[in-house]
Amino acid sequence: MEKTVDWIHPKMLARNRFLLLVVVGGVVLAIVSVSLQFLNLTPAAPMVEKRPATSSGEGLSLGKSRKRVFPVTQTQEPDPISEAYSYCNTPNRTEQAWEGHSPADYKLLSVHVMIRHGDRYPLYYIPKTKRPPINCTLSASRKPSHPLLKTFISHMAQGGRGHWESPLASVPRLPNHSACEMGELTQTGVVQHLRNGKLLQQAYKQHRLLPSDWSPRQVWLETTGKSRTVQSGLAFLYGFLPDFDWKKLTVHHQWSTLFCGSSCDCPARNKYLEEDQRRQYLLRVADANLERTYATMAQTLGLPPRQLRAANPIDSLLCHLCHGLPFPCVPSGDGSPRCLTREQFAVIRQQQLDDEADRRRVGLYRKYAILAMFPYLNRTAAKMERVAKSSEVGRQRRADEVFTLSSAHDVTLAPLLSALGLERAQFPRFAARIVFELWRSPPVPPGPVRRRGGKGERSKANSRDVFIRVLYNGEDVTFHSAFCRSHERRVSQPLCPLTNFLTFVRRDMFRVVNATSYSEACYRRFD
């Protein structure tokens, strides 16, 4: 029997076709968007914290490039003054954090953070000049400030309830001198890490990294014995866990800035460092412009050039720049001031940038960095592996050391970046952070046996389902790292497998020093 078709008005037919195209187009766009997000090409908006602008408007815009932690390839040399402002990391700009981002339904298992201490007073004094007039007591009414600063000050007064490894119990928990002492953490440094901790707390809140009743074994805080690292670590932790329970916290001491624990003995590491310092010295003395600049500065201050060099003036000048203070001056014979200049500062800073480029080119520092940071990386890898195993299906025990925080120095973070193959990353600024995240992919639905290498195995959670992300100052640098640079991202596996990291730390990283293990690399005889 022939089917009959109702007559449809041409205008209605055209309208229906248009609606159909709109619906199909929307579905296609949604699929493309989800696919790109899953591939980590267009991630969801990052966690953003706005910093109020200063009255002077001074400082650099951080921009929104996901690769801003790496120098931009350009024909002109970077401006050393602008680079120095970035190094200051003054808390007066909007900052975004890509921590906590992953494909949908991935579970965050653990987070391991290493920070550089925040802004500090200079370690060196320029002879014949006045010291920078900076107050190192804390006041919520003085800028820069933070909403948590007042309660942070009160909470630190209860620190006696915590557990402190010797000799940390005698270290002050807050900077407390109206005229800063050498190397003392400033209020700016405290605020920088309150902000860092708060950023990560917001980034990980939806992932419920730590339960409300977290146990002492789940949080690990370690620091060197310097007051600036102790106080920076506490500020970061308070931003991350406001009003944390002191009775649950143990503050662990690391006697070495390399955080190498009981594995610090490594003669080859020291040899590589000595060779790199020799390279650095030869590069510096060959810089005629630097020599002329030091001579002019010494003449201005009435000092022998050698004495000025020994005072490491760049450290003090950076403090003046970061805090908006005029550069040091001395009175001349007629009473008018003779001052050091930004141009002189720029010459010294440029030489430091040139040294970083030459260090990457020669490669001695990378060899030093591999041996210097293996103990820390090996400990981190072991912690991640334990957490991954404890999170497998069927295990009920909660993982230990879900969140670890290591409060360190530039001489810790710089070799860590180099060891990871992130040598083109910018030198660690004040309050810099490196974050290792451990993720597990969602479980595979029950189904047929998967085939691998001709043998069948049931789908289950295992090491192939666990992944790592590495972030530097909030930017995802995982696929710039030596262990995942060549890894092919796919829809089925958009993150870097943890096994890549484990293999790198336990074997592959030693290829740089022509060895197969830490012991072999450390005790090899040099010709």
Side-chain angles (χ1 to χ4, degrees):
M1 181 181 294
E2 184 177 331
K3 295 182 179 179
T4 60
V5 179
D6 294 334
W7 181 83
I8 301 176
H9 193 282
K11 290 185 177 180
M12 183 178 295
L13 182 62
R15 184 174 60 185
N16 290 343
R17 286 176 177 171
F18 174 74
L19 292 174
L20 179 62
L21 288 173
V22 169
V23 171
V24 171
V27 171
V28 171
L29 286 175
I31 292 173
V32 171
S33 176
V34 170
S35 297
L36 289 176
Q37 185 166 329
F38 190 73
L39 280 167
N40 208 24
L41 298 177
T42 56
M47 194 63 61
V48 176
E49 179 175 89
K50 295 183 178 180
R51 307 187 216 182
T54 59
S55 57
S56 64
E58 200 168 50
L60 291 179
S61 172
L62 290 178
K64 295 184 178 180
S65 170
R66 294 188 65 196
K67 296 183 180 180
R68 70 169 180 263
V69 294
F70 294 97
V72 178
T73 302
Q74 51 191 6
T75 55
Q76 295 181 345
E77 293 183 349
D79 175 18
I81 297 292
S82 297
E83 188 278 335
Y85 276 121
S86 179
Y87 175 88
C88 296
N89 192 22
T90 306
N92 63 355
R93 300 180 296 273
T94 299
E95 184 173 356
Q96 62 185 22
W98 291 93
E99 285 94 348
H101 288 261
S102 73
D105 299 325
Y106 275 55
K107 179 176 176 55
L108 182 63
L109 302 181
S110 68
V111 174
H112 309 268
V113 184
M114 176 173 278
I115 59 173
R116 184 192 175 187
H117 60 75
D119 177 80
R120 59 158 173 77
Y121 201 70
L123 296 171
Y124 301 88
Y125 163 65
I126 301 178
K128 294 190 176 182
T129 66
K130 293 182 179 180
R131 299 187 180 187
I134 299 174
N135 186 342
C136 273
T137 59
L138 301 182
S139 171
S141 61
R142 189 173 69 243
K143 294 184 178 180
S145 190
H146 190 277
L148 291 175
L149 182 58
K150 186 175 181 179
T151 54
F152 168 70
I153 296 171
S154 300
H155 197 66
M156 290 303 104
Q158 304 169 27
R161 301 176 183 177
H163 307 279
W164 302 80
E165 285 188 358
S166 178
L168 299 179
S170 61
V171 177
R173 293 182 286 276
L174 295 173
N176 55 11
H177 295 91
S178 56
C180 294
E181 294 190 344
M182 305 304 263
E184 188 171 10
L185 193 70
T186 66
Q187 177 159 316
T188 298
V190 171
V191 169
Q192 286 168 335
H193 278 306
L194 286 173
R195 293 184 61 259
N196 275 344
K198 186 64 176 178
L199 272 174
L200 264 64
Q201 187 234 19
Q202 293 172 340
Y204 297 136
K205 185 176 182 180
Q206 63 177 328
H207 298 289
R208 300 177 181 177
L209 176 66
L210 286 169
S212 57
D213 61 341
W214 56 273
S215 71
R217 297 173 65 92
Q218 290 181 302
V219 175
W220 175 279
L221 172 60
E222 60 183 358
T223 173
T224 64
K226 297 294 184 181
S227 62
R228 58 184 176 274
T229 54
V230 173
Q231 295 159 7
S232 292
L234 291 173
F236 188 107
L237 185 64
Y238 189 80
F240 186 71
L241 289 173
D243 298 318
F244 60 82
D245 186 346
W246 275 109
K247 294 179 181 179
K248 294 183 179 182
L249 183 67
T250 297
V251 185
H252 302 270
H253 178 237
Q254 281 285 348
W255 68 271
S256 169
T257 57
L258 298 180
F259 285 63
C260 46
S262 60
S263 303
C264 290
D265 184 40
C266 185
R269 178 198 66 216
N270 301 335
K271 180 69 174 179
Y272 287 130
L273 181 60
E274 290 171 4
E275 291 181 354
D276 186 69
Q277 289 173 338
R278 173 71 175 169
R279 173 207 59 79
Q280 186 180 48
Y281 170 77
L282 293 175
L283 182 70
R284 188 167 59 243
V285 298
D287 191 329
N289 191 26
L290 181 68
E291 292 294 316
R292 287 193 297 270
T293 299
Y294 271 124
T296 302
M297 293 171 67
Q299 185 178 18
T300 298
L301 300 176
L303 293 172
R306 182 174 296 180
Q307 185 179 2
L308 178 64
R309 279 182 175 277
N312 193 22
I314 188 69
D315 188 48
S316 182
L317 295 179
L318 266 171
C319 179
H320 284 79
L321 187 81
C322 293
H323 287 265
L325 301 173
F327 278 5
C329 300
V330 294
S332 61
D334 59 5
S336 60
R338 295 180 301 179
C339 304
L340 302 182
T341 67
R342 289 166 66 97
E343 291 73 21
Q344 293 166 340
F345 169 83
V347 170
I348 303 176
R349 191 65 181 165
Q350 183 60 55
Q351 197 282 327
Q352 290 184 324
L353 297 177
D354 293 342
D355 174 66
E356 290 177 21
D358 188 66
R359 183 178 70 186
R360 291 192 297 268
R361 180 186 64 81
V362 174
L364 286 169
Y365 187 83
R366 178 89 196 281
K367 295 179 179 180
Y368 158 75
I370 289 290
L371 300 182
M373 296 314 300
F374 167 76
Y376 171 80
L377 286 171
N378 192 44
R379 278 196 300 128
T380 302
K383 289 177 181 179
M384 287 184 160
E385 198 168 31
R386 287 197 299 270
V387 170
K389 288 180 179 179
S390 68
S391 70
E392 291 177 355
V393 174
R395 291 179 179 260
Q396 299 299 321
R397 179 174 170 271
R398 292 193 299 183
D400 295 339
E401 298 179 20
V402 171
F403 178 77
T404 68
L405 175 62
S406 305
S407 188
H409 305 261
D410 56 353
V411 294
T412 321
L413 272 73
L416 179 56
L417 290 168
S418 182
L420 292 171
L422 303 171
E423 294 185 286
R424 293 193 59 79
Q426 293 177 348
F427 188 82
R429 66 192 187 189
F430 286 130
R433 67 183 187 270
I434 300 175
V435 178
F436 299 85
E437 295 178 346
L438 184 66
W439 296 85
R440 184 177 289 285
S441 60
V444 178
V449 174
R450 292 190 300 184
R451 297 285 175 178
R452 280 187 176 271
K455 296 182 178 180
E457 61 178 31
R458 292 288 176 185
S459 298
K460 63 179 181 178
N462 53 40
S463 60
R464 292 192 304 275
D465 305 316
V466 186
F467 303 89
I468 184 174
R469 290 179 78 219
V470 182
L471 301 102
Y472 180 44
N473 293 335
E475 301 295 336
D476 189 340
V477 294
T478 311
F479 288 92
H480 292 283
S481 68
F483 63 87
C484 224
R485 194 175 295 142
S486 59
H487 178 72
E488 183 182 353
R489 279 182 283 187
R490 305 185 300 275
V491 170
S492 60
Q493 196 181 88
L495 300 184
C496 182
L498 176 64
T499 52
N500 283 34
F501 179 64
L502 299 179
T503 302
F504 171 75
V505 171
R506 293 166 182 173
R507 186 189 67 193
D508 292 350
M509 67 189 296
F510 299 112
R511 292 174 181 171
V512 175
V513 291
N514 296 319
T516 59
S517 69
Y518 182 62
S519 178
E520 178 189 352
C522 285
Y523 295 100
R524 172 186 295 148
R525 297 185 63 178
F526 282 82
D527 295 331

